[in-house]
């Protein structure tokens, strides 16, 4: 039989199969990686809890024509994929228009929703008396997030018709996402796929007239996005004032609008009474804004704090070039003070601590006394006249200062590059880490006369205009937290306090350090410790600064509790043995997700990989790893606690950014392997290069890291079935490389979850 005449038998394998509609974004009808943020609900304006009059639900009449206008607005929503809807098809959405009309009528009847929120509060209480007690306790405190979630759910149940979402399943998915939104962190982003992928379009009756699957999904996604952005977001922003706190800077705090307005009014009135702000008219404010030394427009807002709201001023800077020159000069001047350190300068603190420990050993380990104090309102207490006097002592009016540019060569991550740094040649400048000065003959950038620099700074101090609503104020005392020069001026101001008021406590036998406004004094002399404590408690009226009630000390006093541990710059210092551990008190009863910015959700895998490589924030440095003053058990405990913090961050990112149904177990195993190796390499590099005494080896560190991840993942084992098996196998392999006595030690140390992490979410 000829091959040409032979009939080709067609099989199913030979036919090209069409991929299902869910394989590509264009066929799905929306873009799953499209991102929307909760930033729209933050820092709402005072609306007296009324719905905005310009909003579509208030502006459009509750008629069939109005429902058609709302429908046209919905179909213009961006879901990442542009699928055109034919005009004749819009006329077939009569059922959808009826549902939208029902929503508009319910909204008009029930808005504003303060009445529903008040009754929702009462239902949470057992009786009226208890409700009144809770109301009195809650009046100046943020609302519980569960209370806010319940309120949003209640409003959705009463206003949004069930038919708009199609079925009970879709309604539950949408309400679950609203709870996730309420519990989210500051500026947290969400992927559209995390909301829409769980919805079922087959259970939506008003979509029956649409035949194409992609078009169905596109239209339904637009309805859901509109309901979220134009109803839920507006509901949260009008009913609550949403802001962040100071304890966990990414956690959202919810206040009722009227309560937050009272808090802000009281705080603003206190600033005016204390003569830190002075009301000015618009003419004077406009005249100051036209001057050459005007620092920029400042907008005032208040951030909640346990002791009261803290004023934060956001500055839109002017004269940025002159300000940068002044910043370089003042930074070099402030660096001359040996008492002042940066809160993150662990290497400098480590050197001081080693010197202190050596002296303590030489003195036969006599009783050592700690005094830790904190300046009350450090930024707001700086007097402008005193600050100008300090500037005049540090800036010579008749001298001309030369700003030069220096060229350095550095090697970082096996990559060489050049760094250019500007500094004034007459002052010492800090050299970048791991760098070498290449060109000793630096180039001149500019020259500035001391008289001009001094005049600019002093006039700038008296030109801060602060806006609060329609009112304008002139700052007559203090510096705004948020201005470019505020931190260095604050450091310079309290450096003068160190020089004039605390000179007697700066000697070779004692340790006196200051990180911004936190003082730590360590001495073996009881009389000097008592004298320092009394002097700090009296304050410095000449500078307008006093200490608050957060003083910690082991100096014996009648009305003062005796403490064995002192917290300073995020570390816990043992007052008897000089051990140093990390301070994890701020994570107690908190969600670890609120300590991170979950903004990169388009590629959660890359974000997780990038975040796990950052080990600098774990405080595994020479200060906590040196066995000169720390015992081996303390060092191993510090490594274990840091690894646990990394494991909690790992699960938080997976929970909030990954799709739980499609978790790539092999990828997560690889991330755990990389984290253990990264932390192990980091610890060995620190101990070999900076620690004076160390007995920790690589296998021990890796075993501790795997054990920390295993403890955290075993609590939520449904997320990580394969990862737990692989981690357990790595623990067994590493245990064979560790000495028996060392293995028993770390096994006992990591047996259970430490108390500091039991309440961390």
């Amino acid at each position: 039989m000829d091959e040409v005449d032979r009939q080709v038998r067609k099989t199913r394998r030979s036919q090209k199969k069409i991929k299902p509609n869910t394989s590509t974004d264009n066929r799905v009808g929306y873009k799953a990686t499209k991102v929307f943020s909760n930033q729209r609900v933050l820092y709402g304006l005072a609306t007296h809890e009324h719905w905005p009059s310009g909003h579509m639900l208030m502006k459009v009449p509750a008629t069939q024509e109005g429902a058609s206008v709302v429908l046209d607005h919905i179909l213009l929503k961006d879901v990442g994929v542009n699928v055109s809807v034919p005009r004749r098809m819009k006329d077939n959405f009569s059922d959808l228009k009826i549902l939208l009309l029902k929503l508009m009528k319910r909204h008009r009847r029930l808005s504003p929703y303060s009445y529903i929120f008040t009754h929702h509060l009462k239902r949470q209480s057992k009786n009226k008396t208890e409700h009144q007690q809770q109301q009195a306790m809650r009046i100046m405190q943020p609302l519980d997030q569960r209370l806010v979630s319940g309120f949003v759910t209640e409003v959705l149940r009463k206003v949004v018709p069930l038919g708009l979402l199609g079925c009970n399943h879709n309604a539950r998915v949408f309400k679950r996402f609203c709870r996730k939104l309420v519990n989210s962190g500051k500026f947290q982003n969400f992927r559209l796929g995390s909301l829409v992928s769980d919805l079922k379009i087959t259970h939506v009756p008003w979509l029956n007239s649409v035949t194409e699957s992609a078009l169905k999904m596109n239209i339904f996604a637009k309805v859901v996005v509109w309901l979220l952005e134009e109803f839920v977001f507006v509901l949260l922003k009008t009913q609550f004032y949403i802001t962040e706190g100071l304890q966990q800077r990414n956690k959202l705090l919810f206040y009722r609008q009227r309560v937050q307005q009272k808090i802000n009014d009281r705080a603003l009135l206190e600033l005016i009474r204390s003569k830190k702000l002075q009301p000015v008219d618009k003419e004077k404010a406009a005249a100051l804004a036209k001057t050459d030394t005007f620092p920029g427009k400042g907008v005032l807002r208040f951030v909640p704090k346990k002791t009261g709201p803290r004023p934060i001023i956001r500055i839109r800077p002017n004269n940025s070039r002159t300000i940068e020159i002044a910043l370089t000069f003042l930074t070099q001047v402030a660096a001359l003070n040996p008492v002042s350190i940066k809160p993150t300068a662990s290497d400098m603190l480590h050197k001081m601590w080693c010197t202190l420990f050596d002296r303590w050993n030489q003195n036969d380990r006599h009783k050592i006394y700690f005094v830790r104090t904190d300046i009350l309102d450090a930024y707001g207490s700086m007097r402008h006249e005193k600050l100008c006097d300090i500037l005049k002592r540090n800036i010579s009016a008749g001298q001309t200062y030369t700003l030069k540019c220096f060229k350095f060569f550095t090697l970082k991550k096996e990559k060489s590059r050049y760094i250019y740094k500007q500094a004034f040649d007459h002052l010492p400048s800090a050299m970048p880490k791991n760098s070498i000065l290449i060109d000793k003959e630096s180039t001149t950038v500019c020259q500035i006369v001391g008289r001009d620099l001094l005049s600019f700074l002093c006039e700038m101090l008296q030109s801060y205009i602060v806006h609060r609503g329609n009112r304008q104020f002139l700052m007559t005392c203090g510096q705004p937290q948020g201005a470019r020069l505020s931190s260095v001026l604050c450091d310079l101001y309290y450096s003068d306090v160190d020089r004039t008021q605390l000179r007697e406590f700066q000697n070779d036998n004692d340790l006196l350090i200051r990180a911004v406004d936190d003082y730590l004094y360590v001495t073996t002399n009881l009389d000097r410790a008592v004298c320092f404590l009394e002097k700090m408690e009296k304050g410095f009226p000449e500078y307008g600064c006093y200490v608050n009630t957060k003083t910690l000390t082991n100096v014996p006093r009648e009305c003062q509790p005796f403490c064995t541990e002192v917290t300073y710059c995020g570390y816990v210092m043992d007052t008897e043995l000089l051990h140093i551990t990390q301070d994890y008190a701020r994570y107690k009863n908190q969600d670890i997700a609120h300590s991170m910015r979950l903004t990169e959700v388009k590629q959660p895998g890359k974000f997780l990989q990038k975040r796990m490589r950052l080990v600098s924030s774990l405080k595994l440095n020479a200060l906590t790893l040196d066995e000169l003053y720390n015992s081996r058990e303390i060092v191993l405990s510090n490594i274990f606690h840091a690894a646990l913090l990394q494991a909690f961050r790992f699960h938080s990112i997976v929970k909030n950014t990954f799709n739980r149904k499609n978790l790539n177990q092999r990828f997560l195993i690889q991330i755990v392997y990389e984290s253990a190796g990264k932390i192990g390499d980091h610890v060995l590099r620190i101990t070999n290069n900076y620690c004076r005494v160390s007995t920790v080896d690589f296998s021990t560190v890796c075993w501790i890291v795997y054990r920390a991840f295993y403890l955290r993942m075993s609590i939520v084992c449904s997320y990580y079935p394969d990862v737990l098996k692989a981690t357990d196998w790595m623990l067994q392999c590493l245990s064979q490389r560790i000495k028996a006595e060392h293995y028993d030690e770390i096994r006992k140390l990591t047996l259970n979850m430490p108390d500091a992490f039991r309440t961390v979410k």
Side-chain angles (χ1 to χ4, degrees):
M1 189 177 186
D2 192 5
E3 292 183 0
V4 178
D5 297 330
R6 186 184 300 164
Q7 294 182 358
V8 178
R9 185 178 181 183
K10 294 184 179 181
T11 62
R12 290 186 179 181
R13 292 179 182 270
S14 64
Q15 298 176 358
K16 292 184 178 180
K17 295 184 178 180
I18 300 176
K19 295 182 179 180
N21 288 340
T22 57
S23 61
T24 60
D25 289 330
N26 289 331
R27 290 175 179 170
V28 170
Y30 68 94
K31 190 174 182 180
T33 57
K34 179 175 174 54
V35 174
F36 54 94
S37 174
N38 62 4
Q39 187 175 357
R40 288 183 53 183
V41 303
L42 300 180
Y43 317 128
L45 301 176
T47 59
H48 304 288
E49 301 180 1
H50 287 276
W51 205 269
S53 58
H55 192 268
M56 178 161 291
L57 291 179
M58 302 298 293
K59 184 171 58 176
V60 176
T63 59
Q64 285 288 346
E65 292 77 9
S68 300
V69 174
V70 174
L71 177 59
D72 293 337
H73 181 68
I74 291 174
L75 296 178
L76 292 177
K77 280 292 178 181
D78 182 19
V79 292
V81 175
N82 186 17
V83 181
S84 59
V85 180
R87 183 65 187 176
R88 60 182 180 181
M89 188 175 291
K90 294 181 182 180
D91 300 333
N92 297 332
F93 289 146
S94 57
D95 294 341
L96 178 57
K97 293 178 182 178
I98 293 174
L99 293 172
L100 291 174
L101 180 60
K102 190 180 296 185
L103 184 148
M104 296 168 66
K105 289 181 178 180
R106 291 180 180 179
H107 171 73
R108 296 280 180 93
R109 187 175 75 251
L110 298 175
S111 177
Y113 298 102
S114 304
Y115 179 79
I116 295 178
F117 184 73
T118 303
H119 280 264
H120 181 69
L121 279 176
K122 290 182 179 180
R123 280 200 303 273
Q124 302 301 317
S125 306
K126 295 180 180 179
N127 51 55
K128 188 176 180 180
T129 305
E130 184 179 349
H131 166 66
Q132 292 175 348
Q133 294 175 356
Q134 290 182 0
Q135 189 86 359
M137 294 173 60
R138 191 187 293 136
I139 187 66
M140 293 302 174
Q141 297 297 325
L143 295 166
D144 190 357
Q145 292 178 333
R146 291 174 296 181
L147 193 67
V148 178
S149 300
F151 165 70
V152 173
T153 302
E154 183 73 12
V155 172
L156 289 174
R157 185 182 65 83
K158 291 189 174 185
V159 177
V160 180
L162 181 62
L164 189 64
L165 293 172
C167 61
N168 288 322
H169 169 78
N170 291 346
R172 285 195 298 269
V173 170
F174 187 79
K175 291 174 183 178
R176 191 187 311 130
F177 187 85
C178 291
R179 286 195 296 270
K180 186 177 180 180
L181 174 68
V182 171
N183 293 306
S184 62
K186 177 183 176 183
F187 298 151
Q188 183 170 337
N189 292 335
F190 302 91
R191 291 185 303 127
L192 182 60
S194 62
L195 169 62
V196 182
S197 60
D198 293 333
L199 299 176
K200 297 180 179 180
I201 58 174
T202 56
H203 294 68
V204 184
W206 53 266
L207 280 174
N208 291 338
S209 58
V210 183
T211 57
E212 188 180 349
S213 176
L215 185 58
K216 275 187 177 182
M217 197 69 246
N218 181 267
I219 296 173
F220 191 55
K222 289 180 178 180
V223 172
V224 172
V225 170
W226 177 86
L227 189 60
L228 181 70
E229 293 183 346
E230 301 298 332
F231 188 79
V232 177
F233 279 11
V234 179
L235 174 67
L236 290 173
K237 193 166 185 176
T238 56
Q239 197 69 31
F240 307 103
Y241 180 83
I242 308 174
T243 182
E244 78 279 6
L246 287 178
Q247 184 178 7
Q248 279 198 316
R249 297 182 182 272
N250 294 320
K251 181 180 179 180
L252 297 185
L253 302 180
F254 293 80
Y255 291 85
R256 293 199 69 172
Q257 287 280 6
R258 60 186 74 172
V259 173
Q260 182 64 23
Q261 191 66 33
K262 290 180 182 178
I263 296 175
N264 292 346
D265 291 344
R266 291 180 185 178
L268 183 61
L269 186 61
E270 183 61 29
L271 290 176
I272 297 174
R273 285 177 179 174
S274 60
K275 297 182 180 179
K276 293 181 179 179
L277 291 182
Q278 177 185 345
V280 294
D281 52 16
K282 294 183 179 180
E283 291 77 11
K284 184 177 180 179
L288 287 174
K290 294 179 181 179
T291 60
D292 295 334
T293 58
F294 182 63
K297 179 181 177 182
V299 180
L300 173 66
R301 69 182 182 93
F302 295 95
V303 177
K305 193 180 177 182
K306 285 185 178 180
T307 57
R310 170 177 289 182
I312 301 293
I313 300 174
R314 181 168 56 88
I315 302 289
R316 297 176 182 174
N318 290 344
N319 303 310
S320 57
R321 178 57 184 164
T322 309
I323 288 177
E324 289 299 323
I325 294 174
L327 178 64
T328 304
F329 182 89
L330 295 177
T331 302
Q332 290 182 249
V333 172
L336 298 175
N337 181 20
V339 174
S340 175
I341 66 170
K342 294 182 179 179
T344 56
S346 60
D347 51 351
M348 185 181 298
L349 187 57
H350 171 249
K351 294 178 182 178
M352 294 179 176
W353 207 255
C354 289
T355 305
L356 173 69
F357 185 81
D358 289 338
R359 287 200 304 263
W360 185 53
N361 268 338
Q362 294 172 3
N363 295 330
D364 298 330
R365 298 199 173 192
H366 290 161
K367 178 68 176 179
I368 193 165
Y369 300 98
F370 286 70
V371 180
R372 188 260 189 191
T373 58
D374 183 16
I375 299 295
L376 179 65
D377 191 15
Y379 281 82
S381 301
M382 293 189 290
R383 296 180 176 178
H384 290 177
E385 299 82 5
K386 192 66 178 178
L387 185 54
C388 286
D389 293 339
I390 295 171
L391 291 173
K392 290 175 183 178
R393 286 199 295 269
N394 289 279
I395 303 175
S396 179
Q399 185 175 351
T400 300
Y401 299 105
T402 304
L403 181 65
K404 293 187 175 182
C405 183
F406 299 90
K407 184 178 181 180
F408 297 90
F409 174 79
T410 183
L411 187 65
K412 187 176 182 181
K413 294 182 179 179
E414 299 180 355
K415 293 182 180 179
S416 60
R417 61 172 182 167
Y418 292 101
I419 297 177
Y420 297 89
K421 183 178 180 181
Q422 295 182 0
F424 286 88
D425 56 352
H426 74 290
L427 291 169
S429 175
M431 184 180 295
K433 287 186 177 181
N434 304 322
S435 60
I436 302 174
L437 181 62
I438 296 296
D439 190 3
K440 294 184 178 180
E441 296 181 0
S442 55
T443 57
T444 301
V445 178
C446 68
Q447 291 183 334
I448 186 170
V449 181
R451 184 181 296 104
D452 297 338
L453 179 60
L454 187 61
S455 175
F456 172 78
L457 290 172
C458 291
E459 291 181 14
M460 185 193 68
L461 292 175
Q462 301 172 2
S463 304
Y464 276 112
I465 296 295
V466 178
H467 295 254
R468 176 66 185 174
N470 296 327
R471 305 178 66 183
Q472 296 174 333
F473 304 90
L474 177 67
M475 286 195 69
T476 56
C477 182
Q479 282 290 295
Q481 292 194 33
R484 192 78 175 98
L485 296 177
S486 292
S487 58
V488 67
L489 287 174
C490 179
D491 192 9
L492 201 63
Y493 190 82
Y494 291 105
S495 292
D496 198 68
V497 175
D498 305 336
R499 183 181 61 85
T500 59
Q501 306 294 325
L502 303 174
R503 173 66 72 180
E504 59 183 300
F505 304 104
Q506 302 175 36
N507 53 68
D508 294 337
N509 297 322
D510 302 337
L511 174 65
L512 175 62
I513 52 179
R514 175 180 56 81
V516 189
D517 58 347
D518 293 337
Y519 280 91
L520 176 66
Y521 182 61
V522 185
T523 181
T524 55
N525 190 304
L526 178 59
D527 294 335
R528 283 203 299 268
V530 172
C531 181
F532 178 82
L533 182 59
E534 291 177 351
K535 193 160 192 174
M536 295 299 294
E537 287 182 342
K538 288 179 181 178
F540 310 102
E542 181 183 354
Y543 292 85
C545 60
Y546 301 89
V547 299
N548 55 26
T549 57
K550 296 190 295 185
T551 300
L552 295 175
T553 181
N554 63 341
V555 175
R557 305 179 71 188
E558 294 182 359
C559 57
Q560 193 84 8
F562 182 83
C563 67
T564 59
E565 293 179 341
V566 172
T567 58
Y568 188 74
C569 290
Y571 299 98
V572 179
M573 301 173 176
D574 191 294
T575 59
E576 296 180 355
L577 301 174
L578 298 188
H579 293 164
I580 294 183
T581 58
Q582 302 100 326
D583 183 16
Y584 295 104
R586 69 189 184 98
Y587 297 111
K588 187 177 181 180
N589 297 321
Q590 301 294 338
D591 191 345
I592 206 72
H594 296 150
S595 64
M596 301 179 290
R597 288 276 183 94
L598 301 178
T599 55
E600 303 177 18
V601 296
K602 282 189 176 181
Q603 296 177 320
K606 289 187 177 181
F607 176 66
L608 176 63
Q609 201 168 25
K610 177 182 176 182
R611 199 66 178 80
M612 290 296 103
R613 288 174 180 172
L614 296 177
V615 296
S616 58
S617 61
L618 300 178
K619 293 184 179 178
L620 284 176
N621 46 48
L623 194 60
T624 57
L625 297 176
D626 200 335
E627 294 183 29
L628 174 68
Y629 46 83
N630 284 327
S631 64
R632 175 181 168 85
E633 182 181 355
I634 292 294
V635 171
L636 294 177
S637 177
N638 287 339
I639 298 173
F640 179 51
H641 288 176
L644 270 175
L645 179 61
Q646 191 79 331
F648 271 86
R649 289 174 177 173
F650 169 83
H651 173 66
S652 180
I653 295 174
V654 171
K655 182 180 68 173
N656 288 282
T657 62
F658 282 68
N659 186 358
R660 184 177 178 181
K661 294 181 178 179
N662 301 317
L663 282 178
N664 188 340
Q665 298 288 316
R666 184 175 298 179
F667 172 75
L668 297 179
I669 291 171
Q670 183 65 29
I671 293 295
V672 175
Y673 287 175
E674 290 180 2
S675 298
K678 185 73 175 177
I679 295 177
D681 292 338
H682 174 77
V683 170
L684 253 65
R685 181 177 60 85
I686 295 295
T687 54
N688 292 335
N689 297 333
Y690 303 102
C691 295
R692 290 170 55 178
V693 181
S694 178
T695 60
V696 178
D697 61 283
F698 182 78
S699 298
T700 301
V701 176
C702 289
W703 191 95
I704 292 175
V705 176
Y706 282 124
R707 177 61 181 169
F709 272 83
Y710 187 86
L711 275 178
R712 180 63 188 101
M713 292 186 296
S714 60
I715 302 175
V716 284
C717 55
S718 59
Y719 279 84
Y720 315 103
D722 297 342
V723 186
L724 283 170
K725 295 178 183 177
T727 306
D728 187 43
W729 179 78
M730 284 301 301
L731 286 171
Q732 294 177 14
C733 293
L734 285 172
S735 62
Q736 300 174 4
R737 306 179 190 175
I738 305 173
K739 295 181 180 180
E741 60 272 16
H742 290 171
Y743 179 73
D744 294 338
E745 180 186 13
I746 61 176
R747 179 68 181 173
K748 182 180 178 181
L749 187 67
T750 62
L751 188 60
N752 298 314
M753 184 73 70
D755 295 337
F757 290 90
R758 289 186 183 276
T759 59
V760 179
K761 300 177 183 177

